[in-house]
Amino acid sequence: MAIIITEECINCGACEPECPNNAIYEGGIEWAMAEGTTLSGSYTLEDGETVDVQEKQKPVSNEYYFIVPDKCTECVGFHEEPQCAAVCPVDCCVPDPDRKESKEILADRQHRLHLK
């Protein structure tokens, strides 16, 4: 499952530089699939919507840091554990109970985001 940042977030920013997929953004910041990935052209999001990878998307949260679920791989392919959760001083980076994803799905996403 993807990781989410709960409303307990204190906006310290410790998690953002740790994400190998550039999936973490400060509240209110627009994001794009291309940022921190090797993607080009278009990309189909998990909800079926196809977007230009350079196109800015609306923030997931305006109040605190957020994780773009379509870019989160729980650090599969990079680290043994999610790095955002490992560095969070208030333990607000937690598995999203609404997005149960296997290691295989997360690994496939990692390969799609970082073509070699």
Side-chain angles (χ1 to χ4, degrees), residues 7-73:
E7 61 189 26
E8 286 79 29
C9 176
I10 59 172
N11 288 311
C12 71
C15 56
E16 186 179 17
E18 300 301 319
C19 182
N21 299 310
N22 199 43
I24 302 175
Y25 294 84
E26 187 175 352
I29 300 294
E30 293 183 335
W31 59 274
M33 286 300 298
E35 296 166 341
T37 71
T38 62
L39 294 173
S40 62
S42 62
Y43 185 86
T44 302
L45 302 174
E46 298 295 316
D47 67 3
E49 179 185 3
T50 300
V51 297
D52 180 304
V53 299
Q54 300 293 337
E55 183 181 341
K56 291 292 186 175
Q57 306 295 318
K58 292 181 180 177
V60 174
S61 170
N62 286 316
E63 293 143 27
Y64 48 85
Y65 278 80
F66 63 88
I67 299 174
V68 175
D70 286 283
K71 294 175 77 174
C72 180
T73 64

Side-chain angles (χ1 to χ4, degrees), residues 3-11 85 88-94:
I3 303 294
I4 59 171
I5 298 176
T6 66
E7 61 189 26
E8 286 79 29
C9 176
I10 59 172
N11 288 311
C88 182
V90 293
D91 298 324
C92 67
C93 296
V94 299

